[in-house]
Amino acid sequence: MSQPETPPESARDRLLGAARVLFYNDGIAATGIDAIVKRAGVAKKSLYNNFESKAELVATYITVRHDEWLALYARREQEASGPKEKVLAVFRAYDDHAEFAYERGFRGCGLLNAAAELPAGAPGRHAVRGHKEQVESIVTAHLLALFTGDEAKARLLARHFSFLLEGAISRAGLEGNGACVRQAMAMAEAMMEAP
């Protein structure tokens, strides 16, 4: 019995796949359209049939990276029971991100890397900020459930955890693994236990 054939990947998906790898490996500015088209194995015309410009491809890349993290978190949240474990699920999703087998190794948060290359006020930077704010709001919601009756504590701790996560993922990018994220998670767990 033969396996059902999977439909061929669309040119758009191949272009996005190539851009995801190249933007993460080399950076957005250093990655030209020709490199993306070559890696995707499509004609240059295909790029412009699917994206108005490189800027639109970058915006789509940022959206895809955001969705990838949300999927990592959703898997970890399903394994969690209770608000404390759900907060730790956010850290575990960051660790999963750091431990992924990237082509040239882990070099930090792809969204922050992208934002660092974009000019102030660029839509992509706003999208990255939106992602980071969404992560903080996820943590806040779980901490509000954990510390019912002490909203101020929950919100302050969420802000601390947000900064802890960003620092940990930045260091993890420099070190090329998730050890810093796991250390940050242990710190967060201890902070949730503190009176």
Side-chain angles (χ1 to χ4, degrees), residues 97-170:
H97 174 47
E99 293 296 337
F100 182 79
Y102 293 95
E103 188 175 271
R104 293 194 200 152
F106 180 64
R107 36 182 311 269
C109 174
L111 290 171
L112 284 180
N113 293 347
E117 292 193 58
L118 300 171
R125 288 179 64 90
H126 291 293
V128 172
R129 180 178 173 177
H131 166 77
K132 299 302 182 180
E133 288 170 348
Q134 185 174 358
V135 171
E136 186 173 337
S137 88
I138 289 168
V139 172
T140 301
H142 297 315
L143 288 171
L144 285 168
L146 182 64
F147 298 109
T148 56
D150 196 346
E151 183 177 341
K153 178 179 181 174
R155 291 191 182 284
L156 182 61
L157 203 54
R159 194 71 169 158
H160 288 182
F161 287 0
S162 177
F163 294 158
L164 186 59
L165 279 164
E166 293 311 316
I169 202 73
S170 294

Side-chain angles (χ1 to χ4, degrees), residues 62-73:
I62 289 169
T63 299
V64 166
R65 293 300 300 221
H66 171 70
D67 292 342
E68 286 172 352
W69 187 87
L70 289 175
L72 287 174
Y73 171 68

Side-chain angles (χ1 to χ4, degrees), residues 167-185:
I169 202 73
S170 294
R171 276 290 296 274
L174 293 172
E175 296 177 16
N177 62 62
C180 288
V181 176
R182 291 186 295 277
Q183 290 170 345
M185 184 171 63

